[in-house]
Amino acid sequence: EECSNDTIVGVGDFARLGQSWSTPYLARIRTGDGALDFRDVVIFSGGYDLNQDEEDQSIRNVHDTVGNEVFIVDAFTGNLLWSAHDGGQLGSGLSNAKLLTHSIPGGMRILDMNQDGAIDRMYFADMKGRVWRLELPTGPDYDLSASRLVKFANLGGVGKENRMFFNEPDVAMLKSGGRSLLTISLGSGYRAHPANENAKDNFYVLLDSAVHTSLRRNFANDGKFKTLKHRDLVKVTASGSSSAVSIDQGLMTDKTILDVEGKSGWYMTLPKGGEKVLSSSITSDGNVMFTSLVPDAGAAADILDICSAPITQGRFYSLNILTAEAGSDLNGDGTISEHEIMKVVTANEIPGTPQQVFNKPSCVDGDCKQLFDIRVGKGGKPAASYDTSMLESIFWTNPERK
């Protein structure tokens, strides 16, 4: 067997495998209703097609030939069990797999929504600015030919709208008014050409109300689900200099996204020209946190020495996931002001995904606290800090214990 090392389809089970950029996930899938009817698998996306290296859309091939695939392989042998296009031992491929026309360099966000110990849901995004939801069977038939692919959002286009998703979506659950919802958060950006300023990139928070069911109805539950587009989202506008940023929440002013009729999420336009999101976000304590890269920050392009590297700026954003308001005390003064949506955290490097770091607990007169930091890159100081008591409690149970 031979996989591709460029834009030409290879041969064999992994013919559509492009450059593998993302983390493969060890997981289990169900093969039946029995207590032992599980299969240990590794799940990963098709990867990146070098076709996307071409910046000129008029020259770039309309469709990618590799990378536009989802693979499930046996965790012990590495043998292919199933792929979205061609199927395999566990069932035939998706009936609408032809919709997957562009490579998927970011990873798959895999979920066990019915909590039976097996993966039954995936979210992923592609190089055409689309977000996908893949539903695996939950019984009584577990043949993967019954899997269902839904184009959840279409947020790309041509010219300034040529947005690309290189990263795995960040999926979180929230509850409001007794209703469970999923938030799917991600930002766009041309990672293959981080200095490219042709596209107007955004950060998105999308809402999915079909938490434990197949996605058939829209968010308001008054009609059939239709692929989300920008008109279905509230536009949030950020503006300002490199240090002070203000934000206009648009229709969400003095409201949450759940109070805005006819909308299924929001998106923020990044304030600086060429600013882009090149890593996944995280959601914690009701805030969505992500980083961005600003090329040529602090210097005009026409006066840069062509022999020196451009001055870039890495930013950290923390926003309330329901209102897009400032979510963290970024300057450490004990309060959260409306302008504290962003802080500069790196220079001359692409900032990565924010990381949660749990510090050693400290106790004074029996009063114990434990802080966890949100850190980015090599900086010595955290971008934000929280008390662990603010986190939702997590516990484990042993289903075999009587």
Side-chain angles (χ1 to χ4, degrees):
E1 296 182 358
E2 180 181 327
C3 58
S4 171
N5 62 2
D6 48 28
T7 61
I8 301 174
V9 176
V11 296
D13 290 341
F14 299 97
R16 288 188 175 87
L17 180 62
Q19 292 184 347
S20 186
W21 288 22
S22 62
T23 302
Y25 287 114
L26 181 64
R28 304 176 88 193
I29 59 172
R30 271 201 174 275
T31 57
D33 282 323
L36 301 178
D37 291 336
F38 292 92
R39 190 82 174 255
D40 292 304
V41 300
V42 174
I43 300 173
F44 55 97
S45 65
Y48 180 71
D49 190 326
L50 289 178
N51 175 49
Q52 296 296 332
D53 277 358
E54 175 54 62
E55 292 183 79
D56 189 340
Q57 278 188 285
S58 66
I59 299 175
R60 187 191 309 156
N61 293 334
V62 175
H63 294 161
D64 290 341
T65 53
V66 297
N68 54 337
E69 186 62 286
V70 178
F71 294 105
I72 301 179
V73 304
D74 186 283
F76 296 100
T77 67
N79 294 331
L80 179 70
L81 298 178
W82 186 84
S83 69
H85 283 272
D86 303 318
Q89 298 178 29
L90 300 182
S92 58
L94 298 169
S95 60
N96 58 345
K98 63 182 180 181
L99 296 178
L100 296 175
T101 58
H102 284 66
S103 54
I104 309 164
M108 322 293 296
R109 182 55 55 100
I110 58 175
L111 303 170
D112 173 14
M113 298 308 302
N114 63 7
Q115 300 182 29
D116 68 346
I119 298 303
D120 52 39
R121 180 87 55 82
M122 303 184 204
Y123 292 91
F124 57 94
D126 68 20
M127 295 298 295
K128 198 178 180 181
R130 299 175 298 184
V131 182
W132 301 89
R133 168 178 159 146
L134 178 59
E135 303 170 1
L136 302 187
T138 54
D141 182 9
Y142 293 93
D143 190 300
L144 291 187
S145 59
S147 300
R148 183 168 177 264
L149 179 69
V150 178
K151 187 195 299 185
F152 189 74
N154 186 4
L155 305 168
V158 298
K160 288 289 185 182
E161 308 298 313
N162 182 30
R163 300 182 187 91
M164 302 175 174
F165 293 129
F166 274 81
N167 305 299
E168 178 182 324
D170 164 29
V171 181
M173 182 182 288
L174 61 88
K175 294 183 179 181
S176 177
R179 183 185 187 188
S180 295
L181 306 167
L182 292 176
T183 59
I184 299 95
S185 306
L186 73 171
S188 62
Y190 198 176
R191 190 178 181 97
H193 294 280
N196 184 287
E197 299 186 10
N198 294 335
K200 180 59 180 174
D201 288 304
N202 301 321
F203 184 82
Y204 298 89
V205 174
L206 313 174
L207 300 179
D208 186 349
S209 59
V211 176
H212 300 293
T213 60
S214 182
L215 180 57
R216 307 283 181 175
R217 307 285 290 177
N218 61 19
F219 185 72
N221 198 32
D222 59 4
K224 292 183 179 180
F225 175 80
K226 294 182 180 179
T227 300
L228 301 182
K229 298 183 179 180
H230 284 95
R231 63 172 176 260
D232 301 306
L233 311 173
V234 172
K235 182 179 180 179
V236 174
T237 304
S239 59
S241 67
S242 60
S243 58
V245 175
S246 61
I247 192 162
D248 179 356
Q249 287 124 326
L251 295 176
M252 287 196 300
T253 302
D254 299 324
K255 297 179 181 178
T256 74
I257 185 58
L258 304 180
D259 300 319
V260 183
E261 186 176 352
K263 300 298 181 181
S264 301
W266 55 269
Y267 70 98
M268 185 184 79
T269 60
L270 299 176
K272 297 293 286 186
E275 186 174 0
K276 51 186 64 66
V277 178
L278 300 179
S279 60
S280 295
S281 64
I282 63 170
T283 301
S284 180
D285 191 36
N287 298 323
V288 60
M289 292 167 272
F290 62 95
T291 61
S292 71
L293 178 77
V294 181
D296 299 338
D302 58 351
I303 62 172
L304 282 174
D305 180 353
I306 62 173
C307 296
S308 64
I311 301 172
T312 67
Q313 185 183 88
R315 296 178 167 188
F316 169 81
Y317 288 85
S318 178
L319 303 173
N320 184 291
I321 202 162
L322 291 180
T323 65
E325 295 174 316
S328 301
D329 174 19
L330 298 184
N331 62 12
D333 67 355
T335 62
I336 301 175
S337 71
E338 60 180 336
H339 297 295
E340 283 184 276
I341 70 168
M342 179 276 291
K343 70 184 298 184
V344 177
V345 290
T346 64
N348 292 331
E349 65 177 277
I350 295 177
T353 298
Q355 302 295 319
Q356 293 179 320
V357 178
F358 287 80
N359 297 305
K360 183 179 180 180
S362 62
C363 298
V364 178
D365 297 330
D367 182 19
C368 297
K369 292 183 178 181
Q370 183 181 18
L371 296 180
F372 74 95
D373 297 337
I374 306 298
R375 292 182 175 268
V376 178
K378 298 173 288 188
K381 295 182 178 180
S385 294
Y386 297 90
D387 191 325
T388 54
S389 63
M390 300 173 67
L391 297 178
E392 182 178 356
S393 298
I394 300 174
F395 62 92
W396 289 262
T397 60
N398 184 353
E400 298 178 357
R401 185 176 180 179
K402 304 299 183 181

